[in-house]
Amino acid sequence: MKLTDTSGNTIISVVDQFDYSTQNQTYNDNFKKWRKDKDNPYAFNFELDRRESVFVEGKGFENRSASKAERDCIGRVMNIIGIAMLMWILIDNIISKLVISVFDFIGFDLHTSFFSTGLYGGSLQVITALIVTSCVKILVPAVYLHKKLRMPPRLEYMSTLNHASDMLGTICMTLAVSTVTCLPNIYTNRTMLVFNYFRSINADASVWSQNQFVVYTIFDIVIISVLYELFFRGAIFNALRQFGDVFAVAITTAMSGLLVQDFRELPAALLISIIASIGMLRSGTIITAIFVQICFKMYRLALVLLEDSSPDKIFLKRNTFMLVVFVIGAIGVMMLYLIKRKKKEHHIAEFNSKYTDTQRLGIACKSFPVPAIVCLCLLAACIKMFF
């Protein structure tokens, strides 16, 4: 190749060659700016002029490649994601239980076991512990990721609604999938455990007459849903999508499933995460993903309330409710598909790499400390299954 050749084929720039056609201009500008920061080790910003060689003292001329830079950057990003997941696991399974044990020792009416997800004691103490634990296990790793990745707010969270119809379609899909995922596992979620706890306190009073349960329900459905999606579909997702949207969806979905640490909840967590991720990409805003979580949790709560309302007709009412919700969701998805099928819309960013999606996922799964985190999550799931 001649040194005077100035054609575009002589320059390799993974930042400029990324597909920016799926999101709005403000987001794209912030994404490019973040990726071009040479001091950020978590940004994949490889550049190479084919006409030049790089001399490294003691090594001679070095052959740099985009594929090696991509592999190294994936490893660094997955390293901090793995550490964030470890924080979540430790807080959820060890630190929170140690703190509760200390409060129990000094006289608070609050008890737990290291081999159980349940809490026992006074209603105020139990709900306070649940709320604090749920917040801390999400916020601590989220702050860690925010500090490490150094993303501007308008990049960390997609905030512009590009396609309102896709948001509606995502919500309809959530309704249909919620019904399917609940069929084999209707009453094993935490909402049911908390509901039964309050029902056992005073058999003569409705759980809705107990303020602590109302506060927890609102907190779990709204606040936790927001925090949960800001964590998974925020900095993590946007750091991963520099390697392609399919890669980002796959990794965040796997994370969502693993951090549930419960084989019974795994299918629902995986499917809801996929819907939330794709819905966010298609609509352009993380609010869509938040709505997905809220709708799913409200559906679960509705099943719990149906069981308590009329025990003699529980199966009829529950099955009717599930069928109606599924039909509404399915019809909504079909109608939006028929309306938009003639529109050629592009929502998933294309990513050109020498690695296939499978190879890229393999690199991510082998990155330290991800294998150890997977083992810990599976161990915690096994403990919940048998104890």
Side-chain angles (χ1 to χ4, degrees):
M1 184 177 294
K2 296 181 180 180
L3 294 179
T4 56
D5 184 2
T6 59
S7 67
N9 292 330
T10 65
I11 306 297
I12 298 175
S13 175
V14 296
V15 177
D16 294 331
Q17 293 168 2
F18 188 81
D19 178 12
Y20 297 98
S21 64
T22 63
Q23 301 302 322
N24 61 84
Q25 191 59 44
T26 301
Y27 174 88
N28 292 336
D29 291 341
N30 282 291
F31 195 38
K32 285 183 179 180
K33 182 178 179 181
W34 176 77
R35 290 190 63 184
K36 288 185 176 181
D37 182 2
K38 297 296 184 181
D39 296 325
N40 186 355
Y42 308 109
F44 182 35
N45 50 27
F46 179 84
E47 291 182 359
L48 177 67
D49 189 335
R50 297 179 187 271
R51 300 166 297 174
E52 299 177 354
S53 297
V54 178
F55 181 80
V56 179
E57 188 175 354
K59 295 183 179 180
F61 288 95
E62 183 182 50
N63 293 322
R64 300 167 63 227
S65 67
S67 58
K68 183 180 184 302
E70 181 184 349
R71 174 185 284 272
D72 292 342
C73 191
I74 290 175
R76 289 191 293 269
V77 172
M78 291 306 299
N79 175 258
I80 66 163
I81 290 177
I83 294 173
M85 292 176 70
L86 181 60
M87 292 178 179
W88 179 303
I89 295 168
L90 290 176
I91 293 171
D92 194 26
N93 295 287
I94 298 177
I95 297 176
S96 62
K97 295 183 185 297
L98 285 174
V99 172
I100 290 172
S101 297
V102 171
F103 278 101
D104 183 14
F105 178 77
I106 61 179
F108 283 81
D109 188 11
L110 185 62
H111 323 284
T112 188
S113 167
F114 282 92
F115 297 101
S116 172
T117 58
L119 292 175
Y120 313 96
S123 59
L124 179 60
Q125 291 88 337
V126 168
I127 292 305
T128 301
L130 286 173
I131 289 176
V132 172
T133 301
S134 299
C135 283
V136 172
K137 75 178 182 182
I138 299 175
L139 289 175
V140 170
V143 171
Y144 169 76
L145 287 168
H146 176 78
K147 296 293 185 181
K148 280 288 187 178
L149 294 173
R150 302 195 297 253
M151 282 187 175
R154 302 195 74 174
L155 170 62
E156 193 166 2
Y157 308 113
M158 294 184 183
S159 57
T160 302
L161 181 60
N162 299 327
H163 307 282
S165 59
D166 285 314
M167 175 185 283
L168 179 59
T170 301
I171 293 173
C172 290
M173 179 63 75
T174 303
L175 296 178
V177 170
S178 294
T179 302
V180 175
T181 58
C182 286
L183 288 174
N185 184 33
I186 295 176
Y187 299 130
T188 59
N189 60 89
R190 174 170 283 190
T191 301
M192 186 61 183
L193 295 176
V194 175
F195 185 88
N196 284 335
Y197 166 79
F198 276 92
R199 187 164 54 184
S200 67
I201 292 178
N202 189 346
D204 297 326
S206 168
V207 293
W208 291 106
S209 65
Q210 303 179 56
N211 294 334
Q212 291 89 347
F213 179 77
V214 176
V215 170
Y216 172 78
T217 300
I218 296 173
F219 177 84
D220 182 57
I221 291 177
V222 180
I223 306 301
I224 291 299
S225 294
V226 172
L227 294 178
Y228 188 90
E229 288 305 321
L230 290 179
F231 177 73
F232 285 103
R233 250 59 65 178
I236 291 178
F237 190 91
N238 288 285
L240 292 171
R241 77 182 301 261
Q242 61 185 321
F243 308 108
D245 284 346
V246 173
F247 180 78
V249 171
I251 294 297
T252 51
T253 297
M255 287 178 60
S256 299
L258 287 169
L259 290 178
V260 168
Q261 304 166 66
D262 193 329
F263 291 125
R264 296 164 298 183
E265 298 287 345
L266 181 61
L270 294 177
L271 287 174
I272 292 300
S273 180
I274 292 173
I275 293 172
S277 297
I278 295 178
M280 182 180 70
L281 289 173
R282 292 181 66 91
S283 66
T285 174
I286 196 172
I287 295 176
T288 302
I290 293 172
F291 282 163
V292 168
Q293 282 293 333
I294 291 176
C295 288
F296 177 67
K297 288 189 174 183
M298 289 182 67
Y299 180 87
R300 285 287 186 91
L301 177 62
L303 292 178
V304 173
L305 297 179
L306 280 173
E307 184 193 26
D308 184 64
S309 60
S310 54
D312 55 326
K313 298 181 179 178
I314 173 60
F315 294 108
L316 177 61
K317 286 192 173 185
R318 186 190 69 195
N319 294 342
T320 301
F321 171 77
M322 294 174 71
L323 179 60
V324 169
V325 171
F326 177 80
V327 170
I328 291 174
I331 291 176
V333 172
M334 291 176 61
M335 289 182 64
L336 288 170
Y337 170 76
L338 292 174
I339 293 172
K340 300 188 66 175
R341 64 177 179 174
K342 294 183 179 180
K343 298 180 180 180
K344 296 182 178 179
E345 297 178 339
H346 180 55
H347 299 289
I348 305 298
E350 298 176 357
F351 179 69
N352 297 318
S353 170
K354 290 187 177 180
Y355 296 117
T356 64
D357 289 332
T358 303
Q359 290 173 328
R360 204 174 299 117
L361 289 171
I363 295 170
C365 292
K366 295 176 184 177
S367 302
F368 178 83
V370 174
I373 300 302
V374 173
C375 292
L376 288 175
C377 290
L378 294 178
L379 177 61
C382 288
I383 292 174
K384 290 180 181 179
M385 179 68 73
F386 298 107
F387 291 94

